[in-house]
Amino acid sequence: IFFRYHKMANSIEGWFNSLGPVTQKCFLLIMALSLTGTLGFLDPMYFILDFDLAFRRLQVWRLVTSLFFFGMFAGPQTFAVLINIYLFTMYSGRLEEGDFKGKRAHYIWMFVLSGAILLFVGGFLMGSAVLARGLLLVVVWVWCRRNAEQRMNIMGIFEVSALQFPWVLTLMHWLFGQGWIPDVIGIVAGHFYIYMRDILPKTHGLDWLQTPQLLLDYLPDQRVIGGFSGGGFMPASRQEPTTAPKTKSWGKGRVLGSD
């Protein structure tokens, strides 16, 4: 029994270590919010979005916790909460280890931009108090748009293309009584990011949402070294020069004793 639990612990640790650093911290925050609310350490009402409390009473943490609070592990919603946390962690990990590998600053900037849109559209305009489902759809939408050729297996029953998957997920949420509005808001936020970062620079040469230099200075881009597996990272500023170093030209010289 001891060895069985030890092996299970190692597999969980291996899974966690396989996630990117940003996804790891997001997962820990999500679990901390859900567990503290479930165990009664904190009232979940402290996690939801309330602009009046956030700005007038300086409870600014609500601007973040409302984006990462998926719900409590209690009652009939427990299974849905676990599934949504699993999906967020999986697709965030795929994004971070795929398109954003070695680009933590850019990935964090994606969350900042998407979170701002969710807070404005979902929170301010629509009055939503919990925005985690929207953030889930942001991550799913961005991954699916950048992996459009992928085929997705839905519970082993049927397959859809990656471009169809966000809409299928929205439909499933609606069929299971979770509503569809949070998902659509997330799709809007995700597509805004895709349009501004992927489409507009190619079609019009405009890149208005570049990652701030301050963030890049703090978390510089890195590149993988050491092959496809077991490699590490090297800061972009330390990459090897792409051109051969210049050498001095000393002239043709003269043969000794030629005079």
Side-chain angles (χ1 to χ4, degrees):
I1 295 176
F2 171 77
F3 289 110
R4 184 184 304 171
Y5 283 113
H6 181 69
K7 184 177 181 181
M8 183 183 300
N10 286 337
S11 63
I12 294 174
E13 182 182 4
W15 167 80
F16 182 77
N17 290 334
S18 70
L19 302 174
V22 177
T23 302
Q24 286 180 347
K25 292 173 176 60
C26 288
F27 175 74
L28 291 175
L29 176 59
I30 289 168
M31 294 301 294
L33 293 174
S34 293
L35 287 173
T36 52
T38 302
L39 298 175
F41 295 144
L42 285 174
D43 189 338
M45 295 300 291
Y46 282 108
F47 306 149
I48 67 174
L49 182 62
D50 187 317
F51 284 110
D52 184 63
L53 294 175
F55 293 110
R56 293 190 179 183
R57 300 192 182 182
L58 299 181
Q59 297 181 7
V60 293
W61 65 80
R62 294 176 181 270
L63 302 178
V64 176
T65 56
S66 61
L67 292 166
F68 292 94
F69 181 54
F70 279 87
M72 295 188 295
F73 304 134
Q77 67 173 352
T78 302
F79 180 72
V81 170
L82 289 171
I83 290 297
N84 286 333
I85 292 175
Y86 167 75
L87 289 173
F88 175 86
T89 306
M90 179 174 68
Y91 284 100
S92 177
R94 288 182 179 182
L95 261 183
E96 188 173 2
E97 292 301 301
D99 292 303
F100 291 94
K101 192 172 184 65
K103 301 178 180 179
R104 281 186 292 170
H106 300 283
Y107 196 45
I108 292 172
W109 185 235
M110 186 200 80
F111 276 111
V112 172
L113 294 174
S114 303
I117 297 171
L118 291 172
L119 289 167
F120 178 72
V121 178
F124 183 74
L125 297 182
M126 305 295 293
S128 299
V130 179
L131 304 169
R133 277 257 306 283
L135 193 63
L136 163 63
L137 264 295
V138 167
V139 170
V140 170
W141 184 265
V142 173
W143 185 88
C144 289
R145 295 290 297 188
R146 290 186 171 180
N147 297 270
E149 302 301 321
Q150 292 282 342
R151 300 292 297 176
M152 317 292 292
N153 187 287
I154 309 299
M155 297 184 294
I157 301 175
F158 60 95
E159 287 189 352
V160 298
S161 69
L163 294 179
Q164 296 170 327
F165 179 66
W167 301 108
V168 173
L169 184 59
T170 300
L171 178 62
M172 293 175 65
H173 282 150
W174 177 71
L175 290 175
F176 283 100
Q178 301 179 52
W180 55 270
I181 293 178
D183 300 65
V184 173
I185 295 173
I187 288 173
V188 170
H191 193 69
F192 175 82
Y193 178 81
I194 285 292
Y195 181 77
M196 298 300 292
R197 295 294 294 149
D198 294 358
I199 299 176
L200 197 61
K202 293 180 180 178
T203 57
H204 295 81
L206 302 174
D207 192 359
W208 290 333
L209 299 180
Q210 294 184 24
T211 305
Q213 189 59 45
L214 181 65
L215 191 56
L216 287 171
D217 291 340
Y218 182 70
L219 293 171
D221 287 353
Q222 298 174 314
R223 66 182 181 86
V224 181
I225 58 174
F228 292 100
S229 62
F233 290 97
M234 177 182 290
S237 59
R238 295 179 55 192
Q239 294 179 17
E240 293 87 346
T242 55
T243 56
K246 293 182 179 180
T247 58
K248 285 188 176 182
S249 175
W250 296 97
K252 295 182 179 179
R254 300 178 66 184
V255 179
L256 287 176
S258 59
D259 290 337

